[in-house]
Amino acid sequence: MTSTAIAAPAVLSGKPAEVGHFIDGRKVFSARPAFENRNPATGEVVSLVHEADAALVDDAVQAARRALKGPWGRMSDQERSGLLRKVAEGITRRFDEFLRAEVLDTGKPVSLASHLDIPRGAANFSVFADQILSASTEAFRMATPDGAGALNYAIRVPRGVIAVVCPWNLPLLLMTWKVAPALACGNTVVVKPSEETPTTAALLGEVMNEAGVPPGVYNVVQGLGPNSTGEFLTRHPGVNGITFTGETRTGEAIMAAASKGVRPVSLELGGKNAAMVFADCNLDKAIEGTMRSTFANCGQVCLGTERIYVERPLFNTFVERLKTAAQGLKMGDPFSPATNLGPLISSDHRKKVLSYYGRAKAEGAEVILGGGVPDLATPLSVGYWIEPTIWTGLSEESAVVREEIFGPCCHVTPFDTEDEAATLANNSPYGLATAIWTNDLTRAHRLAARIEVGIVWVNSWFLRDLRTPFGGSKQSGVGREGGVHSMEFYTELRNVCIKL
Ligand code: NAD
Ligand code: 6OD
């Protein structure tokens, strides 16, 4: 595995590559590509992407249904586990191809993708290859009037065909986070990657074939969401369960689609996460952690902290230190190991984030840093770059403080008491994650029980043990994935009662 020795793309010459679907173990292309996929760093077209219509989505679902009845459906947990392990090895073997594809699709720095996205893509498969071997169920002996008794035991059965609908911010990581446990449990999948980041899902099809995963077990349909591929897939009656990561609004549409046929859904949705920084914290660590939680992946991480609450005695120092650290972020060619801040995903997304930058100014925020578009040399000048931005001084009612922006920005607010910090943090329709920075562990435990989120990090952020429950409260999601919690979603329990 190499980490940074990845060739930067030469100026693309000739026709860009075409990215198509993967159905029944084969690459499939529609009559013609439907849209362009641009490199967010340069605006350059990197590929032409095909779009699956309803008939092609049906082909993929039917292939997935057939595969359930084939050798895949008869495999033992041990055999599936072995195949997943080979998939993990395949990702690692083709690390540089995945890395290049992910960096070109997202514009994220190679320094990030090589340490997070691609290794996690492989780890998701090896972790669930282990998990399935230790999955257990319950058993009960009961009394019966004849005295002989009966034995009840539960078995786990796959749900069937799972639709996996993915976002663009961590494409391989988030897709494999769902595909790996779904396959470990014996399901088959039809994946709909984001239209912004189609490539690694297609590449994974090749790895599945190389690993010997039977045709039809892993399928990919490319395309858009509403009135297109995403909707055709989630409304398809041959789909037995839907797992989705993306915006809360889209989650609502997907939940509505799932209600037809009463299909289960797992939803990992948006956030407007708070960090709480207490005066007794280790400031160096709090700054380092907040730099990551606010600016990693250009702020396009659902777990990112866009609201920072700082205990008043530390407030001015914290803001000054965060500003100095953020001034050290380095934009540039994402393929350069020195770059640690990439662009936003698209021109449209930049327009959205800039509208919040404008709104913050209009509402009288004190702009501590940034607030605009950086002046970069060609070819980066054409990309979707934006300045890292820090504000103070806005009211808690401001849309900038309440709504998910999904950009490299945060608003910092002082607080006076622990009670006030908790009230401020909970004042949100979202409830995904929080980061608490304090050396008072009693306080940390107290707050962990009080903050209305699915994930609490104390003196850390995005520190992941893949066996732990992951998911959001309130409008940040439905259900938990990870470890045994993924097993719960991707299987059904069937009780067997045997009269002795
Ligand atoms: P999005 O909701 O716009 O799109 C996600 C996927 O859904 C895409 O593949 C899209 O084509 C598809 N889609 C859109 N409308 C659809 C419909 N009506 N039916 C079926 N499919 C449809 O999200 P995004 O912009 O790709 O990602 C950013 C969002 O994702 C942010 O809100 C972020 O917080 C959230 N997110 C959450 C988590 C989490 O774990 N909670 C992780 C990553 C991202
Ligand atoms: O680490 C994970 O498993 C996970 N689902 C991370 C989500 C990050 C959101 O952008």
Side-chain angles (χ1 to χ4, degrees):
M1 173 191 311
T2 59
S3 57
T4 49
I6 181 92
V11 173
L12 290 162
S13 54
K15 267 177 73 177
E18 295 193 16
V19 182
H21 322 289
F22 185 80
I23 299 175
D24 215 6
R26 289 192 310 270
K27 292 181 189 179
V28 174
F29 295 90
S30 310
R32 67 189 69 81
F35 54 91
E36 295 171 335
N37 172 29
R38 290 177 184 273
N39 175 355
T42 60
E44 192 173 30
V45 176
V46 287
S47 58
L48 302 174
V49 187
H50 288 248
E51 179 168 30
D53 60 13
L56 209 54
V57 169
D58 184 56
D59 286 352
V61 174
Q62 297 310 338
R65 296 219 70 79
R66 279 194 304 279
L68 288 169
K69 306 268 179 232
W72 180 252
R74 296 187 289 276
M75 270 184 204
S76 64
D77 290 349
Q78 284 75 8
E79 286 169 305
R80 284 198 310 279
S81 172
L83 284 181
L84 293 201
R85 218 165 274 296
K86 285 192 184 156
V87 174
E89 287 160 12
I91 294 174
T92 305
R93 196 170 49 249
R94 298 181 64 174
F95 192 92
D96 285 354
E97 285 170 80
F98 278 98
L99 184 57
R100 186 174 185 279
E102 207 74 312
V103 172
L104 282 176
D105 275 5
T106 60
K108 69 177 69 192
V110 77
S111 56
L112 178 68
S114 62
H115 287 101
L116 176 67
D117 301 70
I118 315 304
R120 256 300 294 279
N124 286 337
F125 282 99
S126 40
V127 162
F128 287 105
D130 286 345
Q131 182 73 47
I132 191 63
L133 297 183
S134 60
S136 61
T137 57
E138 63 224 272
F140 299 100
R141 279 182 69 165
M142 64 183 284
T144 54
D146 65 2
L151 174 65
N152 288 277
Y153 64 90
I155 52 174
R156 287 195 178 281
V157 291
R159 285 192 185 276
V161 175
I162 304 290
V164 181
V165 183
C166 308
W168 44 258
N169 62 327
L170 304 169
L172 182 71
L173 186 161
L174 291 172
M175 173 190 57
T176 53
W177 172 240
K178 294 168 179 298
V179 167
L183 298 191
C185 293
N187 301 283
T188 59
V189 297
V190 181
V191 176
K192 210 299 273 172
S194 167
E195 51 275 30
E196 307 282 0
T197 53
T199 316
T200 46
L203 198 49
L204 189 62
E206 294 178 21
V207 170
M208 292 280 173
N209 281 352
E210 288 158 7
V213 174
V217 170
Y218 172 82
N219 305 278
V220 179
V221 285
Q222 308 283 1
L224 307 177
N227 304 312
S228 175
T229 317
E231 202 171 320
F232 301 146
L233 177 61
T234 52
R235 291 194 175 277
H236 196 293
V239 163
N240 304 106
I242 305 170
T243 177
F244 168 75
T245 300
E247 279 192 38
T248 296
R249 221 178 11 191
T250 315
E252 289 171 348
I254 286 185
M255 208 167 185
S259 71
K260 184 88 183 145
V262 203
R263 284 131 354 124
V265 282
S266 174
L267 303 176
E268 295 189 352
L269 307 176
K272 183 74 180 180
N273 309 296
M276 282 175 269
V277 185
F278 287 86
D280 66 7
C281 73
N282 177 322
L283 184 57
D284 290 342
K285 289 190 176 156
I287 293 292
E288 189 272 334
T290 308
M291 282 296 295
R292 288 196 302 117
S293 69
T294 298
F295 301 115
N297 211 35
C298 200
Q300 303 165 118
V301 180
C302 61
L303 308 159
T305 52
E306 291 186 354
R307 299 184 291 146
I308 320 283
Y309 298 105
V310 183
E311 200 168 7
R312 199 173 299 273
L314 190 63
F315 181 75
N316 290 336
T317 310
F318 181 90
V319 170
E320 203 44 46
R321 288 277 309 267
L322 190 65
K323 174 184 172 182
T324 306
Q327 282 169 329
L329 287 167
K330 192 158 172 12
M331 298 186 216
D333 177 2
F335 285 94
S336 159
T339 300
N340 57 12
L341 185 66
L344 292 172
I345 189 71
S346 65
S347 168
D348 279 354
H349 189 49
R350 185 168 68 169
K351 274 189 208 135
K352 176 187 154 185
V353 177
L354 282 173
S355 76
Y356 284 100
Y357 281 22
R359 203 158 168 170
K361 266 189 208 151
E363 289 179 10
E366 185 181 347
V367 182
I368 303 295
L369 182 72
V373 169
D375 193 11
L376 297 175
T378 326
L380 303 183
S381 54
V382 193
Y384 317 128
W385 299 83
I386 195 160
E387 288 176 339
T389 293
I390 302 169
W391 305 285
T392 61
L394 288 176
S395 116
E396 288 298 300
E397 299 317 311
S398 164
V400 175
V401 181
R402 291 193 67 73
E403 295 172 11
E404 182 186 54
I405 301 175
F406 224 53
C409 54
C410 63
H411 182 264
V412 194
T413 308
F415 69 83
D416 292 300
T417 64
E418 179 184 316
D419 184 58
E420 185 191 0
T423 305
L424 288 166
N426 282 340
N427 182 24
S428 171
Y430 294 109
L432 186 54
T434 199
I436 302 171
W437 299 93
T438 179
N439 272 333
D440 179 345
L441 279 189
T442 305
R443 184 208 322 267
H445 287 299
R446 242 185 344 252
L447 282 171
R450 183 167 171 191
I451 304 303
E452 298 155 357
V453 292
I455 305 149
V456 175
W457 276 293
V458 177
N459 297 327
S460 61
W461 177 78
F462 207 168
L463 185 57
R464 296 280 288 116
D465 179 328
L466 304 187
R467 296 168 298 181
T468 58
F470 184 98
S473 305
K474 301 197 262 186
Q475 291 182 26
S476 289
V478 172
R480 296 289 180 271
E481 296 192 21
V484 294
H485 312 284
S486 295
M487 303 288 118
E488 291 297 331
F489 180 70
Y490 294 107
T491 57
E492 261 183 351
L493 279 173
R494 178 178 300 154
N495 192 64
V496 182
C497 178
I498 302 185
K499 174 73 175 63
L500 301 174

mmCIF file of all heavy atoms in Angstrom, residues 190-226:
data_model
loop_
_atom_site.group_PDB
_atom_site.id
_atom_site.type_symbol
_atom_site.label_atom_id
_atom_site.label_comp_id
_atom_site.label_asym_id
_atom_site.label_seq_id
_atom_site.Cartn_x
_atom_site.Cartn_y
_atom_site.Cartn_z
ATOM 1 N N VAL A 190 -28.001 -3.867 -4.411
ATOM 2 C CA VAL A 190 -27.953 -2.977 -5.574
ATOM 3 C C VAL A 190 -27.582 -1.604 -5.017
ATOM 4 O O VAL A 190 -28.311 -1.035 -4.197
ATOM 5 C CB VAL A 190 -29.293 -2.903 -6.325
ATOM 6 C CG1 VAL A 190 -29.157 -1.971 -7.538
ATOM 7 C CG2 VAL A 190 -29.742 -4.292 -6.759
ATOM 8 N N VAL A 191 -26.422 -1.109 -5.443
ATOM 9 C CA VAL A 191 -25.889 0.147 -4.924
ATOM 10 C C VAL A 191 -26.198 1.280 -5.887
ATOM 11 O O VAL A 191 -26.033 1.126 -7.101
ATOM 12 C CB VAL A 191 -24.351 0.038 -4.758
ATOM 13 C CG1 VAL A 191 -23.754 1.359 -4.324
ATOM 14 C CG2 VAL A 191 -23.990 -1.066 -3.785
ATOM 15 N N LYS A 192 -26.621 2.418 -5.329
ATOM 16 C CA LYS A 192 -26.776 3.643 -6.143
ATOM 17 C C LYS A 192 -25.803 4.652 -5.557
ATOM 18 O O LYS A 192 -26.075 5.302 -4.551
ATOM 19 C CB LYS A 192 -28.220 4.146 -6.026
ATOM 20 C CG LYS A 192 -28.739 4.869 -7.251
ATOM 21 C CD LYS A 192 -27.973 6.122 -7.629
ATOM 22 C CE LYS A 192 -28.462 7.346 -6.919
ATOM 23 N NZ LYS A 192 -27.583 8.522 -7.148
ATOM 24 N N PRO A 193 -24.611 4.793 -6.204
ATOM 25 C CA PRO A 193 -23.654 5.784 -5.697
ATOM 26 C C PRO A 193 -24.167 7.188 -5.984
ATOM 27 O O PRO A 193 -25.071 7.369 -6.804
ATOM 28 C CB PRO A 193 -22.388 5.530 -6.524
ATOM 29 C CG PRO A 193 -22.657 4.332 -7.365
ATOM 30 C CD PRO A 193 -24.128 4.117 -7.406
ATOM 31 N N SER A 194 -23.568 8.162 -5.351
ATOM 32 C CA SER A 194 -23.926 9.545 -5.681
ATOM 33 C C SER A 194 -23.517 9.839 -7.118
ATOM 34 O O SER A 194 -22.476 9.375 -7.591
ATOM 35 C CB SER A 194 -23.206 10.518 -4.747
ATOM 36 O OG SER A 194 -23.331 11.833 -5.259
ATOM 37 N N GLU A 195 -24.308 10.647 -7.786
ATOM 38 C CA GLU A 195 -23.998 11.073 -9.154
ATOM 39 C C GLU A 195 -22.689 11.862 -9.212
ATOM 40 O O GLU A 195 -22.049 11.959 -10.250
ATOM 41 C CB GLU A 195 -25.147 11.914 -9.735
ATOM 42 C CG GLU A 195 -25.631 13.083 -8.881
ATOM 43 C CD GLU A 195 -26.678 12.678 -7.827
ATOM 44 O OE1 GLU A 195 -26.648 11.519 -7.353
ATOM 45 O OE2 GLU A 195 -27.513 13.532 -7.482
ATOM 46 N N GLU A 196 -22.272 12.413 -8.054
ATOM 47 C CA GLU A 196 -21.028 13.195 -8.018
ATOM 48 C C GLU A 196 -19.801 12.289 -7.947
ATOM 49 O O GLU A 196 -18.709 12.717 -8.289
ATOM 50 C CB GLU A 196 -20.990 14.093 -6.770
ATOM 51 C CG GLU A 196 -22.197 14.994 -6.567
ATOM 52 C CD GLU A 196 -22.173 16.215 -7.453
ATOM 53 O OE1 GLU A 196 -21.207 16.363 -8.241
ATOM 54 O OE2 GLU A 196 -23.119 17.010 -7.371
ATOM 55 N N THR A 197 -19.977 11.058 -7.466
ATOM 56 C CA THR A 197 -18.812 10.199 -7.185
ATOM 57 C C THR A 197 -19.104 8.749 -7.597
ATOM 58 O O THR A 197 -19.263 7.868 -6.752
ATOM 59 C CB THR A 197 -18.490 10.254 -5.669
ATOM 60 O OG1 THR A 197 -19.699 9.938 -4.945
ATOM 61 C CG2 THR A 197 -17.984 11.598 -5.220
ATOM 62 N N PRO A 198 -19.165 8.510 -8.909
ATOM 63 C CA PRO A 198 -19.597 7.183 -9.362
ATOM 64 C C PRO A 198 -18.496 6.125 -9.423
ATOM 65 O O PRO A 198 -18.791 4.935 -9.538
ATOM 66 C CB PRO A 198 -20.075 7.476 -10.792
ATOM 67 C CG PRO A 198 -19.204 8.627 -11.246
ATOM 68 C CD PRO A 198 -18.946 9.466 -10.011
ATOM 69 N N THR A 199 -17.218 6.526 -9.315
ATOM 70 C CA THR A 199 -16.162 5.657 -9.836
ATOM 71 C C THR A 199 -15.780 4.496 -8.929
ATOM 72 O O THR A 199 -15.601 3.359 -9.398
ATOM 73 C CB THR A 199 -14.911 6.500 -10.176
ATOM 74 O OG1 THR A 199 -15.351 7.668 -10.864
ATOM 75 C CG2 THR A 199 -13.959 5.736 -11.066
ATOM 76 N N THR A 200 -15.617 4.743 -7.624
ATOM 77 C CA THR A 200 -15.108 3.647 -6.785
ATOM 78 C C THR A 200 -16.125 2.512 -6.661
ATOM 79 O O THR A 200 -15.735 1.355 -6.508
ATOM 80 C CB THR A 200 -14.651 4.147 -5.389
ATOM 81 O OG1 THR A 200 -15.637 5.023 -4.851
ATOM 82 C CG2 THR A 200 -13.328 4.879 -5.483
ATOM 83 N N ALA A 201 -17.421 2.827 -6.742
ATOM 84 C CA ALA A 201 -18.426 1.746 -6.683
ATOM 85 C C ALA A 201 -18.282 0.848 -7.906
ATOM 86 O O ALA A 201 -18.405 -0.380 -7.811
ATOM 87 C CB ALA A 201 -19.832 2.328 -6.620
ATOM 88 N N ALA A 202 -18.013 1.466 -9.071
ATOM 89 C CA ALA A 202 -17.836 0.677 -10.292
ATOM 90 C C ALA A 202 -16.566 -0.168 -10.187
ATOM 91 O O ALA A 202 -16.560 -1.353 -10.532
ATOM 92 C CB ALA A 202 -17.771 1.607 -11.504
ATOM 93 N N LEU A 203 -15.507 0.447 -9.667
ATOM 94 C CA LEU A 203 -14.232 -0.263 -9.516
ATOM 95 C C LEU A 203 -14.381 -1.455 -8.560
ATOM 96 O O LEU A 203 -13.782 -2.524 -8.758
ATOM 97 C CB LEU A 203 -13.204 0.738 -8.977
ATOM 98 C CG LEU A 203 -11.725 0.453 -9.101
ATOM 99 C CD1 LEU A 203 -11.351 0.035 -10.512
ATOM 100 C CD2 LEU A 203 -10.927 1.703 -8.692
ATOM 101 N N LEU A 204 -15.205 -1.283 -7.543
ATOM 102 C CA LEU A 204 -15.399 -2.378 -6.582
ATOM 103 C C LEU A 204 -16.016 -3.604 -7.258
ATOM 104 O O LEU A 204 -15.768 -4.738 -6.829
ATOM 105 C CB LEU A 204 -16.265 -1.911 -5.402
ATOM 106 C CG LEU A 204 -16.369 -2.891 -4.232
ATOM 107 C CD1 LEU A 204 -15.006 -3.152 -3.584
ATOM 108 C CD2 LEU A 204 -17.349 -2.383 -3.172
ATOM 109 N N GLY A 205 -16.790 -3.391 -8.338
ATOM 110 C CA GLY A 205 -17.339 -4.524 -9.085
ATOM 111 C C GLY A 205 -16.219 -5.416 -9.597
ATOM 112 O O GLY A 205 -16.303 -6.659 -9.519
ATOM 113 N N GLU A 206 -15.147 -4.806 -10.104
ATOM 114 C CA GLU A 206 -14.012 -5.597 -10.607
ATOM 115 C C GLU A 206 -13.395 -6.414 -9.473
ATOM 116 O O GLU A 206 -13.038 -7.588 -9.636
ATOM 117 C CB GLU A 206 -12.945 -4.677 -11.208
ATOM 118 C CG GLU A 206 -13.421 -3.941 -12.456
ATOM 119 C CD GLU A 206 -12.344 -2.993 -13.001
ATOM 120 O OE1 GLU A 206 -11.155 -3.171 -12.687
ATOM 121 O OE2 GLU A 206 -12.727 -2.061 -13.748
ATOM 122 N N VAL A 207 -13.282 -5.774 -8.301
ATOM 123 C CA VAL A 207 -12.683 -6.471 -7.152
ATOM 124 C C VAL A 207 -13.572 -7.639 -6.719
ATOM 125 O O VAL A 207 -13.073 -8.713 -6.355
ATOM 126 C CB VAL A 207 -12.461 -5.471 -5.988
ATOM 127 C CG1 VAL A 207 -12.086 -6.177 -4.699
ATOM 128 C CG2 VAL A 207 -11.394 -4.456 -6.372
ATOM 129 N N MET A 208 -14.889 -7.435 -6.778
ATOM 130 C CA MET A 208 -15.809 -8.528 -6.406
ATOM 131 C C MET A 208 -15.583 -9.732 -7.323
ATOM 132 O O MET A 208 -15.528 -10.879 -6.860
ATOM 133 C CB MET A 208 -17.270 -8.059 -6.536
ATOM 134 C CG MET A 208 -17.661 -7.003 -5.533
ATOM 135 S SD MET A 208 -18.019 -7.733 -3.932
ATOM 136 C CE MET A 208 -18.223 -6.267 -2.925
ATOM 137 N N ASN A 209 -15.465 -9.472 -8.627
ATOM 138 C CA ASN A 209 -15.223 -10.580 -9.564
ATOM 139 C C ASN A 209 -13.895 -11.262 -9.270
ATOM 140 O O ASN A 209 -13.806 -12.495 -9.254
ATOM 141 C CB ASN A 209 -15.227 -10.064 -11.007
ATOM 142 C CG ASN A 209 -16.646 -9.857 -11.538
ATOM 143 O OD1 ASN A 209 -17.615 -10.242 -10.888
ATOM 144 N ND2 ASN A 209 -16.773 -9.240 -12.704
ATOM 145 N N GLU A 210 -12.857 -10.449 -9.040
ATOM 146 C CA GLU A 210 -11.527 -11.030 -8.768
ATOM 147 C C GLU A 210 -11.552 -11.893 -7.501
ATOM 148 O O GLU A 210 -10.857 -12.901 -7.409
ATOM 149 C CB GLU A 210 -10.488 -9.912 -8.592
ATOM 150 C CG GLU A 210 -10.132 -9.207 -9.902
ATOM 151 C CD GLU A 210 -9.542 -7.814 -9.687
ATOM 152 O OE1 GLU A 210 -9.276 -7.437 -8.529
ATOM 153 O OE2 GLU A 210 -9.385 -7.093 -10.686
ATOM 154 N N ALA A 211 -12.382 -11.475 -6.529
ATOM 155 C CA ALA A 211 -12.443 -12.221 -5.264
ATOM 156 C C ALA A 211 -13.264 -13.498 -5.394
ATOM 157 O O ALA A 211 -13.233 -14.350 -4.507
ATOM 158 C CB ALA A 211 -13.054 -11.328 -4.177
ATOM 159 N N GLY A 212 -14.038 -13.608 -6.482
ATOM 160 C CA GLY A 212 -14.867 -14.802 -6.663
ATOM 161 C C GLY A 212 -16.270 -14.666 -6.085
ATOM 162 O O GLY A 212 -16.961 -15.660 -5.873
ATOM 163 N N VAL A 213 -16.698 -13.443 -5.824
ATOM 164 C CA VAL A 213 -18.080 -13.219 -5.367
ATOM 165 C C VAL A 213 -18.999 -13.530 -6.558
ATOM 166 O O VAL A 213 -18.780 -13.015 -7.665
ATOM 167 C CB VAL A 213 -18.267 -11.750 -4.892
ATOM 168 C CG1 VAL A 213 -19.723 -11.456 -4.567
ATOM 169 C CG2 VAL A 213 -17.369 -11.475 -3.678
ATOM 170 N N PRO A 214 -20.009 -14.376 -6.369
ATOM 171 C CA PRO A 214 -20.827 -14.788 -7.522
ATOM 172 C C PRO A 214 -21.540 -13.610 -8.193
ATOM 173 O O PRO A 214 -21.887 -12.622 -7.529
ATOM 174 C CB PRO A 214 -21.858 -15.739 -6.906
ATOM 175 C CG PRO A 214 -21.262 -16.188 -5.619
ATOM 176 C CD PRO A 214 -20.404 -15.062 -5.132
ATOM 177 N N PRO A 215 -21.766 -13.717 -9.513
ATOM 178 C CA PRO A 215 -22.466 -12.656 -10.238
ATOM 179 C C PRO A 215 -23.832 -12.375 -9.603
ATOM 180 O O PRO A 215 -24.504 -13.303 -9.139
ATOM 181 C CB PRO A 215 -22.649 -13.240 -11.644
ATOM 182 C CG PRO A 215 -21.675 -14.343 -11.757
ATOM 183 C CD PRO A 215 -21.393 -14.844 -10.369
ATOM 184 N N GLY A 216 -24.215 -11.104 -9.593
ATOM 185 C CA GLY A 216 -25.538 -10.725 -9.088
ATOM 186 C C GLY A 216 -25.561 -10.405 -7.607
ATOM 187 O O GLY A 216 -26.543 -9.857 -7.110
ATOM 188 N N VAL A 217 -24.480 -10.730 -6.907
ATOM 189 C CA VAL A 217 -24.458 -10.450 -5.457
ATOM 190 C C VAL A 217 -24.237 -8.962 -5.220
ATOM 191 O O VAL A 217 -24.864 -8.349 -4.355
ATOM 192 C CB VAL A 217 -23.357 -11.300 -4.776
ATOM 193 C CG1 VAL A 217 -23.137 -10.855 -3.343
ATOM 194 C CG2 VAL A 217 -23.728 -12.774 -4.841
ATOM 195 N N TYR A 218 -23.346 -8.369 -6.018
ATOM 196 C CA TYR A 218 -23.037 -6.935 -5.890
ATOM 197 C C TYR A 218 -23.359 -6.266 -7.226
ATOM 198 O O TYR A 218 -22.794 -6.623 -8.258
ATOM 199 C CB TYR A 218 -21.551 -6.759 -5.555
ATOM 200 C CG TYR A 218 -21.069 -5.323 -5.577
ATOM 201 C CD1 TYR A 218 -21.271 -4.480 -4.489
ATOM 202 C CD2 TYR A 218 -20.404 -4.803 -6.696
ATOM 203 C CE1 TYR A 218 -20.828 -3.169 -4.511
ATOM 204 C CE2 TYR A 218 -19.951 -3.492 -6.722
ATOM 205 C CZ TYR A 218 -20.164 -2.678 -5.627
ATOM 206 O OH TYR A 218 -19.739 -1.373 -5.646
ATOM 207 N N ASN A 219 -24.298 -5.356 -7.204
ATOM 208 C CA ASN A 219 -24.704 -4.655 -8.430
ATOM 209 C C ASN A 219 -24.646 -3.152 -8.184
ATOM 210 O O ASN A 219 -24.878 -2.700 -7.050
ATOM 211 C CB ASN A 219 -26.136 -5.034 -8.810
ATOM 212 C CG ASN A 219 -26.294 -6.538 -8.935
ATOM 213 O OD1 ASN A 219 -25.973 -7.125 -9.959
ATOM 214 N ND2 ASN A 219 -26.764 -7.181 -7.864
ATOM 215 N N VAL A 220 -24.357 -2.410 -9.234
ATOM 216 C CA VAL A 220 -24.284 -0.945 -9.126
ATOM 217 C C VAL A 220 -25.099 -0.330 -10.249
ATOM 218 O O VAL A 220 -24.936 -0.725 -11.421
ATOM 219 C CB VAL A 220 -22.823 -0.448 -9.260
ATOM 220 C CG1 VAL A 220 -22.755 1.077 -9.175
ATOM 221 C CG2 VAL A 220 -21.937 -1.076 -8.206
ATOM 222 N N VAL A 221 -25.970 0.610 -9.903
ATOM 223 C CA VAL A 221 -26.667 1.381 -10.935
ATOM 224 C C VAL A 221 -26.324 2.848 -10.731
ATOM 225 O O VAL A 221 -26.476 3.390 -9.635
ATOM 226 C CB VAL A 221 -28.203 1.152 -10.899
ATOM 227 C CG1 VAL A 221 -28.553 -0.204 -11.483
ATOM 228 C CG2 VAL A 221 -28.775 1.284 -9.488
ATOM 229 N N GLN A 222 -25.823 3.473 -11.782
ATOM 230 C CA GLN A 222 -25.433 4.884 -11.701
ATOM 231 C C GLN A 222 -26.624 5.762 -12.075
ATOM 232 O O GLN A 222 -27.483 5.346 -12.853
ATOM 233 C CB GLN A 222 -24.294 5.189 -12.686
ATOM 234 C CG GLN A 222 -23.105 4.275 -12.589
ATOM 235 C CD GLN A 222 -22.201 4.596 -11.397
ATOM 236 O OE1 GLN A 222 -22.472 5.505 -10.611
ATOM 237 N NE2 GLN A 222 -21.134 3.831 -11.255
ATOM 238 N N GLY A 223 -26.613 6.980 -11.546
ATOM 239 C CA GLY A 223 -27.646 7.930 -11.968
ATOM 240 C C GLY A 223 -27.982 8.935 -10.894
ATOM 241 O O GLY A 223 -27.316 9.018 -9.854
ATOM 242 N N LEU A 224 -29.036 9.699 -11.170
ATOM 243 C CA LEU A 224 -29.466 10.760 -10.258
ATOM 244 C C LEU A 224 -30.438 10.181 -9.229
ATOM 245 O O LEU A 224 -30.718 8.976 -9.234
ATOM 246 C CB LEU A 224 -30.114 11.893 -11.055
ATOM 247 C CG LEU A 224 -29.263 12.449 -12.214
ATOM 248 C CD1 LEU A 224 -30.049 13.521 -12.971
ATOM 249 C CD2 LEU A 224 -27.947 13.027 -11.725
ATOM 250 N N GLY A 225 -31.004 11.064 -8.392
ATOM 251 C CA GLY A 225 -31.897 10.612 -7.329
ATOM 252 C C GLY A 225 -33.371 10.703 -7.684
ATOM 253 O O GLY A 225 -33.979 9.721 -8.141
ATOM 254 N N PRO A 226 -33.974 11.901 -7.497
ATOM 255 C CA PRO A 226 -35.427 12.019 -7.678
ATOM 256 C C PRO A 226 -35.833 11.791 -9.130
ATOM 257 O O PRO A 226 -35.128 12.221 -10.047
ATOM 258 C CB PRO A 226 -35.730 13.473 -7.279
ATOM 259 C CG PRO A 226 -34.468 14.029 -6.722
ATOM 260 C CD PRO A 226 -33.334 13.143 -7.086
#
